[in-house]
Amino acid sequence: MECLKIALQKSGRLYTDSIELLKDCGIEMNLGKQLNTKSLNFPMEILFLRDDDIPKYIEDGVADVGIVGKNLILEKKKNINIIEYLGFGRCRLSIAVPENFHYTRLDDLDEKRIATSHPTLLSAFLKKSQIKAHIHHISGSVEIAPNIGISDAVCDLVSSGETLFINNLKEIETILESEAVLTSYPHMKSSKKSIAEILYCRIQAVKRARTNKYLILNATNDNLEEILSCLSGSPTVLPLNNTKWIAVHAIIEERYLWNKIEKLKRLGAKDLLVLPIKKMMI
Ligand SMILES: Nc1ncnc2c1ncn2[C@@H]1O[C@H](COP(=O)(O)OP(=O)(O)OP(=O)(O)O)[C@@H](O)[C@H]1O
Ligand SMILES: O=P(O)(O)OC[C@H]1O[C@H](OP(=O)(O)OP(=O)(O)O)[C@H](O)[C@@H]1O
Ligand SMILES: [Mg+2]
């Protein structure tokens, strides 16, 4: 039977969220020390790899789909499809200098040595900005470089900024914003494509569920129109037997939740309930 091969990071920043995403998609697997395993209930084989290798494996069709940072796809200059942005592994690729570096503008980096794990992206940025700096490629612990005298600046991934802070570095320029993406081999055969399509639908259903909430409220007819116009989509309106009250059910995007709830309360909405959504298919 045909089986979709998915490449995931073996360990590191993307591992837990990638496994969680597959589980939320109903894909069960046994996790252990093995570097590849078959799902117990879905035609899928999971390959656990170093994240640096994933774009090449996808480009070559060794794996059909994969989860990797967008930063790595661009860094490795791979011409592979980005199917979905996954909402985790959010970070930025930034240039940072020691706290005592007197930085005012990009020209201050001229002729400086910059250590980075992303030489392609850094080099393109420097070229575009017409800065002639020396790139020193290292694959990890980049933030140590200025402290051990091998560079004047660094260009590495940042999310909380804690690593920069504890290494006495300050962020000066952001080159790229990144997050984990689902990527795919562009020439997948049709039997694999049909499995991949099922996976994409499931992922979209999980993503929608993660970013939306189910809202229930009670209201009277007085402000019903304003209440409904405050809710997007097509809310369900249910008269409550023998009362002037009406129940309204709606889907609400989490990022607008609190502002909308406050507005709805001002409009007279009562008994508001916000519930998580498990899956959302449209
Ligand atoms: N601090 C961070 N916060 C959020 N996401 C990050 C962070 N650092 C990196 N990422 C994202 O996670 C990906 C993997 O980062 P990680 O640091 O685990 O890589 P690695 O050490 O090179 O792992 P590997 O052993 O697989 O080569 C990065 O390419 C990036 O997309
Ligand atoms: O801004 P922060 O939240 O401090 O995150 C930034 C750090 O995270 C990544 O490394 P990671 O911790 O994944 O370890 P690694 O060097 O082994 O890849 C990245 O390379 C930075 O060093
Ligand atoms: Mg890596």
Side-chain angles (χ1 to χ4, degrees), residues 262-279:
E262 279 137 23
K263 188 167 175 200
L264 290 163
K265 279 167 73 180
R266 281 197 299 276
L267 289 169
K270 295 258 183 300
D271 309 324
L272 291 101
L273 272 183
V274 179
L275 306 172
I277 300 172
K278 282 287 205 187
K279 309 282 181 265

Side-chain angles (χ1 to χ4, degrees), residues 146-165:
N147 295 325
I148 55 173
I150 58 171
S151 79
D152 306 298
V154 299
C155 173
D156 197 20
L157 299 169
V158 183
S159 56
S160 68
E162 194 187 346
T163 312
L164 292 182
F165 180 76

Side-chain angles (χ1 to χ4, degrees), residues 6-25:
I6 185 167
L8 302 186
Q9 193 187 19
K10 179 169 80 74
S11 60
R13 292 275 181 172
L14 304 182
Y15 173 81
T16 309
D17 287 321
S18 302
I19 296 292
E20 192 71 18
L21 178 64
L22 290 190
K23 282 191 180 157
D24 283 354
C25 287

Side-chain angles (χ1 to χ4, degrees), residues 105-270:
R105 58 207 176 100
L106 267 180
D107 284 356
D108 296 338
L109 295 174
D110 244 328
E111 298 303 333
K112 296 287 187 279
R113 299 164 302 162
I114 310 178
T116 187
S117 52
H118 289 68
T120 313
L121 290 170
L122 175 60
S123 157
F125 174 80
L126 293 174
K127 192 169 171 202
K128 191 183 77 191
S129 316
Q130 297 184 310
I131 304 294
K132 284 204 179 74
H134 308 283
I135 296 177
H136 184 71
H137 182 192
I138 43 182
S139 51
S141 301
V142 173
E143 294 88 347
I144 202 177
N147 295 325
I148 55 173
I150 58 171
S151 79
D152 306 298
V154 299
C155 173
D156 197 20
L157 299 169
V158 183
S159 56
S160 68
E162 194 187 346
T163 312
L164 292 182
F165 180 76
I166 56 182
N167 286 288
N168 285 315
L169 298 167
K170 59 181 177 192
E171 197 173 351
I172 53 165
E173 294 290 334
T174 294
I175 293 185
L176 178 82
E177 301 279 348
S178 181
E179 68 181 89
V181 296
L182 181 74
T183 173
S184 80
Y185 175 53
H187 314 292
M188 220 186 295
K189 57 181 179 181
S190 63
S191 50
K192 294 227 184 197
K193 241 189 212 159
S194 39
I195 307 173
E197 297 289 346
I198 296 173
L199 176 68
Y200 304 161
C201 280
R202 290 193 188 186
I203 288 179
Q204 283 164 3
V206 169
K207 263 183 67 184
R208 271 187 226 108
R210 285 178 180 181
T211 50
N212 287 281
K213 294 279 176 260
Y214 194 83
L215 174 70
I216 305 175
L217 59 85
N218 290 338
T220 61
N221 254 324
D222 304 339
N223 282 334
L224 188 60
E225 242 176 65
E226 286 97 320
I227 286 177
L228 294 181
S229 69
C230 174
L231 300 164
S232 51
S234 359
T236 307
V237 177
L238 303 164
L240 297 177
N241 276 349
N242 304 323
T243 72
K244 59 175 188 161
W245 289 91
I246 291 154
V248 178
H249 293 214
I251 304 296
I252 187 162
E253 257 192 85
E254 179 143 35
R255 60 191 163 139
Y256 304 129
L257 186 71
W258 288 108
N259 282 342
K260 290 223 170 175
I261 281 186
E262 279 137 23
K263 188 167 175 200
L264 290 163
K265 279 167 73 180
R266 281 197 299 276
L267 289 169
K270 295 258 183 300

Side-chain angles (χ1 to χ4, degrees), residues 9 50-52 72:
Q9 193 187 19
R50 288 282 308 270
D51 69 341
D52 309 63
L72 269 191

